[in-house]
Amino acid sequence: PKANFEKQKEHWIYFQKAQKAFLEGKPDDVIKATPECVEAHIAQMNKIKDEEGILLAHIQTLLENFPNKVVAKSTAGDFYFKFGNLLLAKKYYEDVLANFKTYDVLTNYGHTLYKLGQYEEAAERFFEALDYNPTKIEEILQFVQASYEKLKH
């Protein structure tokens, strides 16, 4: 953890130098200041891309072998939400909710709708989730409040 902190601190220093050079109109200095930051960023993005590819292959296998299973579709929804494909996440959550409802699936679907800008429908799903876990009322009220705040703007 300490080594990781030191590396992040070093990257921050590179970033500050690059930002200063950029604001001063010195593009060559920006390039000199950022090599390790860029390399670290590219490495991180490649790691995420590799993880996404592995997870996608797993999800596809799961869906091929168990196309009608709630767990497969719910897992696919979670995967697509995590990696930003909200329309596919929405589709899989809707498939699950057509036959099976749980607190987790309803709130995940609500978060997906929220990110898609469908705030009123998101709030409805959050309220519906309370039927499946009434002890989560404070958490749900925060989600609903956030949804209605977005509707006002």
Side-chain angles (χ1 to χ4, degrees), residues 83-103:
F83 287 100
N85 191 333
L86 299 176
L87 293 176
L88 271 177
K90 181 181 177 194
K91 175 206 173 300
Y92 281 107
Y93 290 139
E94 287 171 346
D95 287 352
V96 171
L97 292 170
N99 300 304
F100 186 79
K101 294 182 179 182
T102 67
Y103 173 84

Side-chain angles (χ1 to χ4, degrees), residues 4-80:
N4 191 29
F5 174 76
E6 291 300 321
K7 196 70 167 166
Q8 288 178 340
K9 185 176 162 186
E10 185 179 328
H11 287 233
W12 179 247
I13 291 167
Y14 278 117
F15 174 77
Q16 288 177 319
K17 287 179 183 178
Q19 186 177 33
K20 182 176 184 253
F22 177 79
L23 292 173
E24 292 173 354
K26 299 177 182 173
D28 291 339
D29 289 347
V30 172
I31 294 167
K32 290 176 191 170
T34 58
E36 287 192 33
C37 289
V38 171
E39 287 176 23
H41 181 70
I42 289 171
Q44 183 65 25
M45 293 306 292
N46 285 335
K47 182 180 177 191
I48 290 169
K49 188 175 179 183
D50 290 346
E51 288 173 0
E52 183 178 358
I54 292 166
L55 286 171
L56 179 58
H58 176 69
I59 296 296
Q60 288 171 337
T61 301
L62 193 61
L63 289 169
E64 287 169 9
N65 291 317
F66 306 101
N68 298 319
K69 293 291 184 182
V70 168
V71 173
K73 291 179 181 181
S74 179
T75 302
D78 294 345
F79 167 81
Y80 287 114

Side-chain angles (χ1 to χ4, degrees), residues 111 114 126 136-149:
H111 289 296
Y114 181 88
F126 292 138
K136 299 279 190 169
I137 191 160
E138 288 181 29
E139 180 179 312
I140 291 296
L141 289 177
Q142 289 175 359
F143 298 148
V144 171
Q145 183 179 0
S147 296
Y148 282 118
E149 287 296 320

